[in-house]
Amino acid sequence: MAIDYGWQNRTIIGYHSKDSNTFGVVGKTLPMLTKESEALFLVTRDQFFTISTPQISNVLANYLKYKKYYDSVRLIANVLLVPGLIIAFGYLLRQIGVLDSITIVKDFISSGIADTLFGFSILSVLILWHDYYKDKSHPVKLPKAEKISSNDLEEIKSTGFKFGRYAHLEAINYANELTSEIICSHTINENLNTYYIFRELILYPEVQEMFKRANITIDEDILDKNDVNSTTLPQYSATSIRGLIIYALNESLLTLSREIKPIHLLLALFNVFPVLGKVLLSQNSSIDILREVVRYQSYEIDRKRRSSPFNPNVPYYKRGGIAEAWVYGYTFVLNKFSKNLNEEVAAVDDIFGVGHDDEVENLISVLGKISNRNALLIGEAGVGKSSLILGIAQRINSGDVPDQIKDKRILQLDINGLIAYSSKEKGIEELLSKAIAELENAGDTILYIDEMQELVPAKAQDSGHSLAGILLPYILNSKFPIIGTVNYADYKKYFYSTESLKQSFTNIEISEISADDALQILETKISNLEENYGIFITFPALISAVELAQRYNKEKKLPSSAVQLIESACSWAQTSGVQILTEEHVSKVLSNQKGISIGSVNAQESTKLMKLEEILKERIIGQDDAIKAVVEALRRAHTDIRNPNRPIGSFLFMGPTGVGKTYLAKVVSEEYFGEESDIIRVDMSEYQEINSIEKFLGQSNSNILGQTAISLIDRIKINPYTVVLFDEIEKAHPQILDLFLQILDEGRLTSTFGEVVDFTHSIIICTSNIGSLMLLNSLQDPKNTWEESKDKALIELRQSIKPELLNRFDKILVFHPHNIDNLSSISEILLQELAKRLREKSINLSWNKLIPQLIANKANEPGLGARPIKRYIQDHIEGNLAKEIIEGQISAGEEIEIKEDWII
Amino acid sequence: MVQKNFLTSDGRQQVLSEQKVDSNLSIVIYSVKEFLTWWYIRMPLWHLRMLSRIAILVDDNMSLSIVLRNFFLPWHRDFTLIGYVFGILIKTIYIPIALTTYILLCTLYFVVILIWLLLPPATLFLIIRSIISI
């Protein structure tokens, strides 16, 4: 699933043409409008921004004039500072009596001239103070562009823009000084020079940082190679500045910036000019990645500003001070086996609870109730349950919570610590009772129990009661809020059946976060990771970590899977001496972890895939259609064109016995997944009874610890990158065949224990002997053509297996029965394999070209395929060779020829 | 997508606050006006916000309002006689100290604001007086 960068539906750029009196929406191509009668505007959910020609030209002209004036004033003020400083020093010396001996200086310092100069220098200080602080004290602030609702979009589409409902803002007001400076300096003789703007912008440090973060290089070679010059980035009349400002404004809104900065001008240029778009494309990048980087840069700037409490321009949230603890009760006993999460989050510079805004609000509202304030967070491992709790602690710390939970602290119960402490000191029951009493008295504590199901098996040593049983009465009547976390399977096992427990908690389901939120979480970890590992992390690496984790680590959830992958990649980079972590490194780390090739197809793999069809045809005789279908599926898989939510390929092989159905599956597994990969072979004749479904999905009623049988699910979990061969599927029970509907359609299967197993990296091959007799008839009976026999076999197949299952296979392939020529070729292949084995013993085997034909004629048993050939060679050729080796007639280094009398 | 304009009935393009190119005199007058507006309106408001921020910061760090609100709550919620007595005693000693710090810091900043307001006229006064005395 590609990451949705979240740009959609936050801004609309429209244009107006005075000549034709029409309004429209600008599509993907952004025009640089030069006619005065045409203008652009930008609409967000609550505002619309415009800029007119007289406005822009007057503003820019005024900007230059004012700039000149302010520069002069600044220069004069700076000059006047110097005598002021000297005179101030003189005043000081006069006061301490040093100047008494230097009368001239003393007289001057005491004169009106010195006082006047000093007065002017103070005035200069005031002017310079104003000059420096006027923007800092009252910074320009762009409004936040929220998503435009689909209703509004529909309304705009059908009835047009209703400007009256939006607040009108002037775009040019949001350009900062640097941006205005750049535009003015490159507007010469009423012409805007976009090429020189571009050349200047790419040298800015902020822009260089952006390129580095996006892992792209913009230098002379790249620009020449992509024809970036003053022809492809041409001059426009100054009226086009309006368009450039609107596009730059769009970029600053989308990247959550406070003003239009030079970097937004650059993003606008990348967006407008196709030649610059190609520069990005040639380096596997895009405008979306650049925007993501700039958004991250804005976030970093904001984060640093937020950390200063003395800035009245940012909100301040009360944290509670030195005397706060006086109004709350002691928790001496509880402190020994718990940790204070508020203190923990205050000590780290991280953001928690990203992507779970709704769940956080939900949890806060539960905690803020008067009664029944307990909450149970239910979700799979790694979705961020613990992070959500830390997010609440962070919000409590910053005071961004309702009054009911303000000043509260969250204590996480350490179950193992409790058991360890109780074994040294008093019994658990006594300890828990004291801790609960402290909690009730404290008035400020929320108890958090992670993995609540661990309470059930944990037992008190003295009484043998489980902790859950001891805590239950307190949970049912709790005077303080309790938050617990549990996964779905354990919730069903321990909570669902206990009505009182179920009623005591408000359930909040925590689902896996989106790829975009996972990316945001990784962004918050960048500075930490870079500091710890001493490397530089590019954004493509982060994006790759999220996408690959989502695709290849389906047993773990986002964000945990992506975080673990990026940390593994950072660790690998550190040990390998890599300074800059890119997406290739992340792919490589995951490839090493999974034992498969991940990432873009390289030259070696391309050659392998191109030759795969040839290689398979050399090893499997007479089944070219089947080979072609399978190889096409593999090529699609390897270039990422296929649907990632289904198996790599799913095939049904039909045909008589011994024609190569199973052999093709084995050869594909060997050639595609590598020799180490084991094909998973399932004989469906073992699944004729419905209770054999446990062999598929795992045994439901046995103790997990005592379970020794490995189900199919287990085998796929161990190695999901393989060929799964289901032999003779017509023999399986129909309800078991129904499981295939989910495997083939969605690439997954849910085990008895609720685990979802991923089949999307497997090739599923089913074989069937249905219609074999009819297919053999085509060989034996000249009246039946191959096509007729094939059609009859397929009809019989449709009658035996449900159409909804047959419909889900990528291809149903009918294997040809072998004729004599095929069998002869197969004999040749088998003899080659025998020769190879003998070469390992330094014995050279040879034969004349009639031998394979002779073997085929002799060994052929109609209807049994190639197996009789194999048995024949085993009995007659290998048997005779073995006899001669044992008798000493053949020894190492000798050559032996297959004799015809071995066959005849 | 072509739409009609609902802003003006004849579809005219909105011409926004059209500025003209200012003369040098206008620039000087504007800069003086802008300086005075910043110094005497915008910055005092900023200072008041800063004063409010300092008040909140001091109150937050010294937990003054929390302690005042919970004056009669016993020490660490120990609902015994000792808890009550100790709590009131400590708070009785603490509150004046915290309050004094609070008032002192706020007053100091208030003085800063006054100095701020007086600085430009005082400077002008110094200049005029010293010119007269030459």
Side-chain angles (χ1 to χ4, degrees):
Chain A
M1 189 202 302
I3 290 178
D4 170 8
Y5 297 100
W7 313 123
Q8 286 118 344
N9 302 342
R10 287 172 58 205
T11 58
I12 304 175
I13 299 177
Y15 67 87
H16 173 239
S17 168
K18 228 189 332 189
D19 296 338
S20 54
N21 188 26
T22 50
F23 281 77
V25 171
V26 165
K28 287 202 169 152
T29 318
L30 303 183
M32 288 289 273
L33 301 178
T34 53
K35 279 194 207 169
E36 276 208 40
S37 58
E38 288 173 341
L40 289 160
F41 56 87
L42 192 150
V43 171
T44 65
R45 194 188 68 178
D46 303 315
Q47 307 94 15
F48 82 94
F49 300 81
T50 55
I51 185 163
S52 75
T53 311
Q55 184 191 26
I56 190 70
S57 56
N58 290 338
V59 160
L60 294 178
N62 269 328
Y63 171 80
L64 287 170
K65 268 191 118 170
Y66 273 83
K67 184 169 180 304
K68 214 170 165 182
Y69 168 78
Y70 282 124
D71 285 345
S72 317
V73 167
R74 211 172 290 130
L75 179 65
I76 295 166
N78 279 308
V79 165
L80 281 173
L81 266 180
V82 176
L85 281 168
I86 297 169
I87 291 164
F89 188 59
Y91 286 150
L92 187 64
L93 293 178
R94 187 185 64 181
Q95 284 302 110
I96 58 176
V98 171
L99 292 180
D100 290 342
S101 51
I102 317 166
T103 337
I104 276 185
V105 174
K106 189 180 170 189
D107 290 341
F108 174 73
I109 294 292
S110 309
S111 73
I113 297 171
D115 290 342
T116 310
L117 280 172
F118 185 67
F120 274 114
S121 77
I122 296 178
L123 197 61
S124 310
V125 168
L126 303 188
I127 291 167
L128 289 170
W129 199 332
H130 162 254
D131 187 51
Y132 185 73
Y133 280 106
K134 65 178 184 234
D135 290 333
K136 284 187 175 51
S137 60
H138 295 83
V140 168
K141 195 176 164 197
L142 261 176
K144 214 172 163 190
E146 303 285 356
K147 254 192 174 171
I148 302 172
S149 74
S150 45
N151 287 340
D152 290 347
L153 287 173
E154 283 304 313
E155 203 189 329
I156 289 170
K157 216 171 164 178
S158 55
T159 58
F161 295 98
K162 293 196 178 74
F163 290 98
R165 58 164 280 189
Y166 302 102
H168 168 226
L169 300 169
E170 294 179 26
I172 192 60
N173 286 348
Y174 298 96
N176 74 6
E177 210 174 296
L178 266 176
T179 308
S180 306
E181 174 78 46
I182 290 170
I183 293 174
C184 286
S185 60
H186 294 289
T187 306
I188 301 162
N189 299 328
E190 298 290 309
N191 284 321
L192 176 73
N193 199 318
T194 56
Y195 178 63
Y196 289 117
I197 290 179
F198 176 74
R199 292 304 303 244
E200 183 177 331
L201 286 171
I202 57 175
L203 297 174
Y204 273 48
E206 204 184 12
V207 170
Q208 291 283 319
E209 166 78 18
M210 175 185 73
F211 287 151
K212 192 178 177 196
R213 200 54 87 179
N215 196 29
I216 62 175
T217 314
I218 305 282
D219 56 21
E220 290 301 330
D221 290 334
I222 302 279
L223 296 178
D224 286 335
K225 206 168 143 190
N226 289 284
D227 293 324
V228 177
N229 48 46
S230 52
T231 314
T232 49
L233 262 64
Q235 268 191 5
Y236 294 93
S237 77
T239 48
S240 63
I241 294 172
R242 303 167 299 155
L244 190 60
I245 299 274
I246 292 283
Y247 298 142
L249 172 70
N250 186 42
E251 298 303 329
S252 58
L253 285 166
L254 293 177
T255 54
L256 307 177
S257 304
R258 295 176 157 266
E259 53 189 357
I260 305 172
K261 296 197 272 199
I263 205 166
H264 301 119
L265 278 178
L266 183 68
L267 288 180
L269 292 176
F270 270 110
N271 221 2
V272 167
F273 295 102
V275 67
L276 293 180
K278 278 189 198 145
V279 168
L280 294 179
L281 211 60
S282 67
Q283 299 192 62
N284 284 333
S285 193
S286 68
I287 186 78
D288 289 330
I289 293 176
L290 296 187
R291 280 186 187 139
E292 195 67 49
V293 174
V294 176
R295 188 177 81 162
Y296 165 72
Q297 287 173 336
S298 304
Y299 154 77
E300 279 292 291
I301 293 168
D302 258 353
R303 197 167 65 93
K304 285 176 185 135
R305 286 176 68 243
R306 267 201 303 267
S307 61
S308 167
F310 288 102
N311 184 351
N313 293 323
V314 297
Y316 175 80
Y317 298 108
K318 287 192 174 184
R319 294 148 221 262
I322 49 178
E324 191 198 13
W326 297 354
V327 302
Y328 298 114
Y330 293 116
T331 50
F332 289 127
V333 174
L334 186 59
N335 287 347
K336 294 202 188 322
F337 40 85
S338 65
K339 56 180 177 179
N340 187 331
L341 294 186
N342 295 56
E343 283 172 5
E344 244 186 50
V345 300
V348 295
D349 186 22
D350 213 338
I351 293 188
F352 300 98
V354 176
H356 292 298
D357 297 327
D358 292 340
E359 291 95 326
V360 167
E361 290 301 331
N362 226 349
L363 182 56
I364 288 176
S365 64
V366 169
L367 293 173
K369 290 197 295 189
I370 296 170
S371 63
N372 198 0
R373 294 178 290 172
N374 301 336
L376 189 62
L377 307 184
I378 310 172
E380 294 305 327
V383 295
K385 302 188 288 294
S386 305
S387 173
L388 205 153
I389 306 294
L390 292 172
I392 302 272
Q394 211 166 37
R395 279 179 67 162
I396 292 174
N397 278 357
S398 59
D400 182 21
V401 286
D403 288 339
Q404 293 91 325
I405 59 169
K406 235 171 199 156
D407 308 324
K408 292 241 186 291
R409 56 180 176 152
I410 302 179
L411 289 184
Q412 181 177 350
L413 183 68
D414 177 5
I415 297 170
N416 293 329
L418 169 63
I419 295 170
Y421 188 70
S422 68
S423 63
K424 284 189 290 181
E425 303 287 328
K426 305 169 187 181
I428 283 191
E429 290 188 62
E430 194 184 335
L431 269 177
L432 269 177
S433 142
K434 280 196 170 148
I436 299 294
E438 280 178 349
L439 272 169
E440 286 173 357
N441 193 46
D444 72 333
T445 310
I446 298 168
L447 183 65
Y448 166 50
I449 307 173
D450 195 20
E451 307 288 347
M452 269 192 105
Q453 72 278 4
E454 297 297 322
L455 290 174
V456 175
K459 288 192 186 328
Q461 275 184 0
D462 45 357
S463 63
H465 295 143
S466 84
L467 280 185
I470 298 170
L471 272 173
L472 186 63
Y474 299 112
I475 292 172
L476 297 177
N477 301 305
S478 69
K479 298 189 178 76
F480 49 87
I482 302 174
I483 309 174
T485 64
V486 75
N487 60 44
Y488 285 107
D490 288 326
Y491 172 74
K492 200 170 166 187
K493 200 167 162 186
Y494 298 114
F495 287 79
Y496 194 74
S497 48
T498 315
E499 195 58 35
S500 51
L501 209 53
K502 218 165 79 170
Q503 295 296 330
S504 307
F505 285 93
T506 305
N507 292 346
I508 298 175
E509 282 197 34
I510 314 295
S511 44
E512 191 180 16
I513 59 171
S514 66
D516 197 32
D517 288 331
L519 182 62
Q520 270 197 54
I521 290 173
L522 292 190
E523 285 174 21
T524 63
K525 296 191 181 301
I526 288 176
S527 42
N528 221 2
L529 289 170
E530 288 184 340
E531 204 184 302
N532 276 338
Y533 293 100
I535 57 170
F536 184 86
I537 303 173
T538 61
F539 260 62
L542 292 183
I543 292 167
S544 178
V546 174
E547 289 180 343
L548 292 178
Q550 216 177 14
R551 191 138 166 210
Y552 291 98
N553 256 342
K554 287 193 178 159
E555 64 274 14
K556 294 185 187 150
K557 303 287 177 195
L558 288 176
S560 169
S561 51
V563 170
Q564 284 176 17
L565 179 55
I566 199 72
E567 283 178 0
S568 304
C570 289
S571 175
W572 172 86
Q574 190 188 41
T575 46
S576 310
V578 167
Q579 293 291 310
I580 298 176
L581 188 73
T582 65
E583 55 184 331
E584 283 82 21
H585 299 133
V586 175
S587 299
K588 187 170 181 167
V589 165
L590 189 60
S591 297
N592 290 343
Q593 282 178 0
K594 297 286 172 187
I596 54 162
S597 166
I598 293 169
S600 53
V601 178
N602 62 30
Q604 198 182 15
E605 283 165 353
S606 302
T607 318
K608 188 175 161 193
L609 280 168
M610 289 313 297
K611 288 192 174 164
L612 186 61
E613 196 171 336
E614 230 174 270
I615 295 168
L616 290 178
K617 281 179 182 170
E618 278 169 18
R619 294 181 67 175
I620 296 158
I621 304 298
Q623 311 299 350
D624 292 355
D625 293 339
I627 289 169
K628 190 175 173 200
V630 170
V631 169
E632 276 171 4
L634 295 179
R635 283 181 191 148
R636 281 197 303 271
H638 213 77
T639 49
D640 273 350
I641 294 172
R642 70 177 181 102
N643 181 347
N645 296 320
R646 295 185 71 228
I648 292 175
S650 54
F651 306 99
L652 175 57
F653 293 169
M654 284 174 69
T657 183
V659 293
K661 303 189 291 293
T662 307
Y663 189 56
L664 175 55
K666 283 184 183 165
V667 171
V668 162
S669 177
E670 198 184 304
E671 292 294 334
Y672 187 75
F673 291 111
E675 285 182 37
E676 302 83 30
S677 175
D678 291 316
I679 186 173
I680 295 177
R681 191 173 177 174
V682 183
D683 186 353
M684 297 306 283
S685 60
E686 292 175 22
Y687 295 84
Q688 294 185 59
E689 303 296 322
I690 184 59
N691 38 17
S692 54
I693 202 168
E694 285 183 349
K695 283 194 218 169
F696 242 78
L697 303 177
Q699 292 171 339
S700 55
N701 55 2
S702 60
N703 179 1
I704 292 171
L705 291 174
Q707 203 174 45
T708 52
I710 298 178
S711 64
L712 168 68
I713 295 271
D714 293 327
R715 289 160 77 189
I716 294 286
K717 268 164 55 179
I718 293 166
N719 180 19
Y721 308 97
T722 187
V723 169
V724 187
L725 175 66
F726 296 98
D727 262 332
E728 300 183 299
I729 59 161
E730 70 275 13
K731 293 192 176 155
H733 190 278
Q735 275 186 281
I736 290 178
L737 282 185
D738 286 342
L739 296 174
F740 280 77
L741 300 176
Q742 199 181 28
I743 294 175
L744 299 180
D745 229 6
E746 294 164 34
R748 59 185 175 89
L749 198 59
T750 309
S751 76
T752 316
F753 304 104
E755 300 158 305
V756 175
V757 175
D758 178 28
F759 281 84
T760 58
H761 301 291
S762 314
I763 298 173
I764 309 289
I765 296 177
C766 299
T767 67
S768 171
N769 290 330
I770 293 174
S772 302
L773 282 171
M774 285 166 215
L775 294 168
L776 281 168
N777 278 344
S778 70
L779 209 56
Q780 289 154 6
D781 185 353
K783 288 184 200 161
N784 288 314
T785 61
W786 167 247
E787 287 304 322
E788 280 170 4
S789 302
K790 193 171 143 186
D791 290 339
K792 284 180 190 166
L794 286 170
I795 290 168
E796 196 181 322
L797 180 72
R798 285 187 198 109
Q799 284 168 352
S800 310
I801 296 181
K802 288 185 197 176
E804 53 265 29
L805 175 57
L806 292 178
N807 215 15
R808 280 166 167 80
F809 283 103
D810 287 340
K811 272 234 146 81
I812 298 174
L813 299 159
V814 184
F815 278 53
H816 294 258
H818 288 310
N819 55 27
I820 277 294
D821 290 331
N822 286 353
L823 290 174
S824 176
S825 306
I826 291 169
S827 305
E828 177 72 32
I829 290 171
L830 289 170
L831 288 175
Q832 297 279 7
E833 283 174 14
L834 175 60
K836 189 177 166 191
R837 290 198 296 274
L838 287 172
R839 265 197 298 277
E840 286 166 20
K841 296 183 185 341
S842 308
I843 296 172
N844 293 322
L845 183 69
S846 63
W847 56 91
N848 73 49
K849 55 186 179 186
L850 289 174
I851 295 292
Q853 187 76 37
L854 280 171
I855 293 173
N857 286 331
K858 196 75 183 168
N860 179 27
E861 288 179 53
L864 295 183
R867 286 203 182 90
I869 308 291
K870 210 171 175 178
R871 281 195 294 272
Y872 193 90
I873 290 175
Q874 201 178 290
D875 293 339
H876 292 85
I877 313 292
E878 288 178 25
N880 281 306
L881 281 171
K883 189 177 162 208
E884 294 200 5
I885 290 170
I886 289 167
E887 286 172 0
Q889 291 176 37
I890 313 169
S891 50
E894 286 186 10
E895 183 167 317
I896 180 152
E897 191 175 344
I898 296 176
K899 303 177 180 65
E900 281 185 21
D901 59 0
W902 288 358
I903 300 161
I904 297 166
Chain B
M1 181 167 73
V2 172
Q3 291 131 5
K4 285 196 175 284
N5 175 24
F6 279 78
L7 186 56
T8 57
S9 57
D10 60 0
R12 242 179 335 161
Q13 203 170 294
Q14 176 87 1
V15 172
L16 305 162
S17 50
E18 199 174 11
Q19 296 177 29
K20 40 185 205 311
V21 183
D22 294 336
S23 64
N24 289 336
L25 183 62
S26 318
I27 290 173
V28 172
I29 294 170
Y30 171 82
S31 65
V32 171
K33 257 170 61 178
E34 204 262 324
F35 173 86
L36 290 171
T37 311
W38 184 79
W39 197 275
Y40 282 108
I41 298 176
R42 294 173 93 191
M43 277 312 284
L45 286 171
W46 185 92
H47 280 301
L48 286 173
R49 279 163 51 214
M50 190 57 164
L51 178 61
S52 158
R53 173 59 59 87
I54 288 171
I56 292 169
L57 260 169
V58 174
D59 172 48
D60 189 33
N61 279 287
M62 305 206 81
S63 313
L64 187 54
S65 43
I66 291 177
V67 173
L68 281 170
R69 270 201 308 271
N70 296 285
F71 185 77
F72 293 108
L73 199 66
W75 183 253
H76 281 285
R77 292 183 183 236
D78 177 11
F79 291 96
T80 62
L81 180 64
I82 295 173
Y84 276 103
V85 167
F86 195 69
I88 291 173
L89 189 65
I90 293 286
K91 286 166 198 166
T92 308
I93 298 169
Y94 179 79
I95 288 172
I97 299 170
L99 209 52
T100 308
T101 314
Y102 182 88
I103 292 169
L104 194 67
L105 286 170
C106 292
T107 309
L108 267 170
Y109 198 80
F110 199 69
V111 170
V112 166
I113 297 176
L114 275 174
I115 294 172
W116 177 275
L117 294 170
L118 290 171
L119 206 49
T123 310
L124 285 173
F125 176 74
L126 173 66
I127 293 171
I128 293 167
R129 194 190 69 169
S130 45
I131 288 172
I132 291 169
S133 69
I134 290 174

